[in-house]
Amino acid sequence: MTSVIFMGTPEFSVPVLEGLIKNNYEIKAVVTQPDKKVGRKQKITKTPAKIAAEKHDLPVFQPVKLSGSEEMQQVIDMHADLIVTAAYGQFLPTKFLNSVKIAAVNVHGSLLPKYRGGAPIQYSLINGDAETGITIMEMVKKMDAGDIYSQKAIKIEPDDNAGTLFSKLSIVGRDLLLETLPSIIDGSVKKIPQDPDKVVFSPNITKEQERIVPTMTATEANNMIRALNPDPGAYMMLEGKRFKVWKAEVAKDSTDLKPGCVVANKGCFAISFADGTVLNLLEVQPSGKKKMDIKNFLNGQGSKFAPGEEIVDK
């Protein structure tokens, strides 16, 4: 039985872990990020990977920083055959990568060398890509720069957001990993070096990027909304207050109104953006309120906004 140190944190990692268990890989340990305080009540919350590990009575390690930690040495001393990572969230020291007998393997949510970094799925949406995919790659010290073992592409649908893509890609990643591992283990896999001229980076989303401004086109704004749903959510400043937009669609019609104005507020809530483009807001969250569909918004707070009125702060 091939032994594995599994490393992952969010929901994306869970199907990968479950797939390894189901296919009789010996999981010696699960390494995940520390539990975090979540929500207004700051409730201590376990990572999805930890919850899955505990369900199978697997040892769990949660170092704040892996490098130099006692936990790292404990895991090294397990002398596993493989390290498998899926959205773990920390750099892995070379000493750790080299500690396993066969290979350190990463399940990455993009078609490398495009979108190295921590937010590949989000950037595929931000940039309006037609497709994304999974890369099974060899882990090296340099971020996401290892040789490619295998890849599989999927189409990005118009109604996809980060949440739906994470779910789809976690299943693709699980299946592609299980297809690829036997050839890694027996040494028959053919590795493909990444083309350095085609490298694109996808750093973690910043607070500044969460804001939608009317100088964007409607398509650019909608792509950002999709990329930040379900977390942390994109927002615009509406009359000086944060106004989150969870779902929208680009209107077919254009407008002569300057960016940031109400185009329509009957049956829909449409806002003008750059180049005469228009965005229909479908699900919103005014400051201090819960998420609501646009009908409920227009029946309440939204009823005061008149067509032609400039309401979105630049």
Side-chain angles (χ1 to χ4, degrees), residues 38-75:
V38 175
R40 291 183 179 180
K41 295 183 179 179
Q42 293 290 280
K43 182 180 178 182
I44 298 292
T45 304
K46 299 176 182 179
T47 71
K50 181 178 181 179
I51 293 169
E54 290 180 340
K55 185 174 73 173
H56 294 279
D57 296 320
L58 298 172
V60 177
F61 296 87
Q62 295 180 278
V64 174
K65 184 180 179 183
L66 181 66
S67 181
S69 67
E70 290 183 13
E71 292 93 337
M72 185 179 84
Q73 189 58 50
Q74 286 177 284
V75 174

Side-chain angles (χ1 to χ4, degrees), residues 2 7 67 70 86 146 177 180 253 295:
T2 304
M7 309 182 74
S67 181
E70 290 183 13
L177 175 71
T180 307
D253 297 333
K295 181 179 178 181

Side-chain angles (χ1 to χ4, degrees), residues 82-309:
L82 296 167
I83 291 170
V84 174
T85 69
Y88 170 53
Q90 289 190 39
F91 280 106
L92 306 189
T94 303
K95 176 184 177 182
F96 186 69
L97 295 175
N98 294 338
S99 68
V100 288
K101 298 172 186 175
I102 299 174
V105 181
N106 184 33
V107 182
H108 185 78
S110 81
L111 299 172
L112 290 170
K114 192 173 187 180
Y115 301 139
R116 291 182 184 178
I121 294 172
Q122 290 87 339
Y123 275 87
S124 69
L125 290 163
I126 290 170
N127 293 330
D129 292 351
E131 68 174 13
T132 184
I134 287 289
T135 300
I136 307 300
M137 56 167 285
E138 180 181 31
M139 295 196 74
V140 295
K141 185 177 181 180
K142 190 175 180 181
M143 183 179 62
D144 299 331
D147 290 347
I148 294 168
Y149 291 125
S150 59
Q151 289 186 318
K152 185 170 183 178
I154 65 167
K155 182 181 178 183
I156 298 177
E157 302 292 345
D159 59 348
D160 271 326
N161 58 34
T164 62
L165 276 187
F166 266 97
S167 296
K168 291 177 183 180
L169 288 173
S170 67
I171 302 303
V172 174
R174 176 197 67 191
D175 295 346
L176 187 59
L177 175 71
L178 293 172
E179 287 174 21
T180 307
L181 278 180
S183 63
I184 296 174
I185 293 165
D186 68 21
S188 65
V189 69
K190 294 181 179 179
K191 298 188 289 186
I192 302 170
Q194 295 186 41
D195 185 343
D197 294 330
K198 294 183 179 179
V199 172
V200 178
F201 290 100
S202 59
N204 291 333
I205 303 297
T206 66
K207 291 286 186 184
E208 290 74 23
Q209 285 175 287
E210 295 171 16
R211 183 178 173 184
I212 302 164
V213 291
T215 50
M216 297 175 171
T217 65
T219 295
E220 289 169 341
N222 191 45
N223 287 346
M224 187 61 69
I225 292 164
R226 294 164 65 204
L228 300 183
N229 184 354
D231 182 66
Y235 72 93
M236 58 180 70
M237 295 302 295
L238 198 126
E239 295 188 322
K241 295 183 178 180
R242 282 195 178 209
F243 184 81
K244 285 200 170 186
V245 183
W246 292 104
K247 188 175 181 180
E249 64 181 6
V250 178
K252 294 179 181 178
D253 297 333
S254 59
T255 182
D256 294 329
L257 291 170
K258 66 180 181 179
C261 294
V262 178
V263 177
N265 70 343
K266 297 295 182 184
C268 69
F269 190 52
I271 303 292
S272 58
F273 279 80
D275 301 333
T277 58
V278 177
L279 190 67
N280 291 331
L281 310 189
L282 302 176
E283 185 178 24
V284 298
Q285 187 175 7
S287 180
K289 303 289 185 179
K290 294 182 179 180
K291 290 183 187 178
M292 62 184 73
D293 62 31
I294 209 62
K295 181 179 178 181
N296 286 331
F297 173 72
L298 290 174
N299 286 338
Q301 181 181 336
S303 61
K304 69 177 183 178
F305 298 124
E309 183 181 356

